[in-house]
Amino acid sequence: MNKKQQFLLEHNKLSPINLRVTMAVLSRFRIERAMLFKDNEWSIDKLRRPFVLWLTSALLEGKGSIIKK
């Protein structure tokens, strides 16, 4: 299992149903927030907070479809 898969499992385990995501959503986050990935790591400690903020702001902007994919 790679770091991205571990991040996904941990995030979904810690999140309510409405904030659970897929690998596609993580890939989109990686593209939109490339500056956070200088070391190409998926550290749950480093990335979970920025990821949740990005995700909830996308939901508030009406982009809920990114989660459903």
Side-chain angles (χ1 to χ4, degrees):
M1 182 180 315
N2 66 35
K3 300 270 184 185
K4 188 176 179 181
Q5 291 168 325
Q6 289 175 324
F7 181 91
L8 177 70
L9 290 173
E10 190 67 21
H11 167 76
N12 284 341
K13 182 175 76 171
L14 296 170
S15 297
I17 292 172
N18 65 325
L19 291 180
R20 292 182 186 161
V21 298
T22 63
M23 290 295 272
V25 175
L26 290 183
S27 295
R28 183 167 175 176
F29 172 70
R30 170 97 170 68
I31 291 166
E32 291 188 17
R33 297 293 187 258
M35 66 199 159
L36 295 173
F37 292 89
K38 292 176 185 170
D39 58 3
N40 204 25
E41 290 291 321
W42 281 91
S43 167
I44 194 78
D45 295 329
K46 177 183 165 191
L47 296 174
R48 183 139 194 281
R49 180 176 164 85
F51 178 66
V52 170
L53 292 173
W54 172 84
L55 186 60
T56 54
S57 70
L59 290 171
L60 290 173
E61 292 173 4
K63 297 178 185 172
S65 63
I66 65 169
I67 295 176
K68 307 280 188 276
K69 292 181 180 177

